[in-house]
Amino acid sequence: MTTTRKQFPRLGKDDPTQKKPPPSGASSVAETSGPAKSEHVLAGEDPLAGTRYRTVEPLAEGGFAEVYLAEHRDLGRVFAVKVLPHEMCRDATEVERLRREARTAGKLHHPGIVDVTDFGETRDGRAFIVMEYLEGEDLEVLLEREGHLDQERALTIALRVSEALGAAHEQEVVHRDVKPANIVLVADAGGGERVKVVDFGIALSPEHHGRRLTERGFTPGTPTYMAPEQVRTPGATVLSDVYSLGSVLYEMLTGSPPFLEPSGPETLAAKLREPPEPLRQRAPELEIHPAVEAAVLRALAMDPLDRCESMEELGASLKGALEAVRAAPRAGAARSAAAGPRRRGRRGPVAVVALAALVVAGGVA
């Protein structure tokens, strides 16, 4: 089985992180669960020295965090360990942000949620968070390569994301930054595909209300995918996540995000001014099913009260659309595949950099 290079959840697009890209044409990904090979241990002093973990190799690094593949010294299991840089550890707010994400992750007990197992400090005083290590490819990388996805696969991915976010919402946790870069696809042992929502670094939960960990005037989220009400008010609700997932699904289906403005501020202004272009108008050659378009446009309603009221309701809408696609003649699907990749629109700049990654998993049939 061909294995891609590690695709660890991104640290943020305005972070100068150097990631290892997957090789072109890689056919599958693999989940790591056994001890690491000793030949990968870094030369020099172990950055995790003095902890229960031994560094195997770096996964990513940048101005906002360093991520290492590490092995538990006693258990022999490997994990992903995210460590704050020295300069950020001097800021109590940044350390608290990482600590509160660990607490948020810890309350999401669900079979589809990858464990966050530890929080601590290195010998030189740097805060770190430990989570289960997985390998995969994020949806953004896939879309950059493929352009768009066929309707069945796009709907199935969105359905699994809705289930994962629904589990978080049941615990009153709102993600606030649902986007392709935070959706990771991982192959399972049976040859299928699992979907994982990552990075709850700016999530809202009940224990965090009233505790400001962002600068005043700072709107957390990514303009391309965030809901219009997130611009007007500092808070977000489950309906904001519904809108963001609708934006991701729109892009999976058409090859471009709902709004094609050249900058983040212009994108947000457009969302406050008008609804997105209908999918069948944006990409007529792809023959998107009317039921699919209706489901996506409802999720993208400007007024939150006009959207599905929960991820469960959105999931039911997506299931209905998926059934409609499967019952329709297959000629359209063939033409969709023949259309090839579409040019994807420009994205607004990322408005926030998360400080830890959490993986929420759901199985894709």
Side-chain angles (χ1 to χ4, degrees), residues 318-341:
L318 296 177
K319 287 179 182 178
L322 184 57
E323 291 172 359
V325 169
R326 288 172 172 168
R330 307 299 294 175
R335 281 192 288 273
S336 174

Side-chain angles (χ1 to χ4, degrees), residues 98-122:
L98 187 63
R99 179 181 288 109
R100 89 173 194 176
E101 180 173 0
R103 290 172 178 166
T104 299
K107 69 184 293 183
L108 298 177
H109 299 296
H110 183 271
I113 298 176
V114 173
D115 291 337
V116 172
T117 59
D118 202 358
F119 175 88
E121 289 188 359
T122 63

Side-chain angles (χ1 to χ4, degrees), residues 260-280:
L260 301 175
E261 308 303 321
S263 69
E266 289 173 283
T267 297
L268 297 176
K271 291 183 177 188
L272 292 170
R273 184 175 62 245
E274 60 192 6
E277 181 181 19
L279 289 76
R280 286 153 58 85

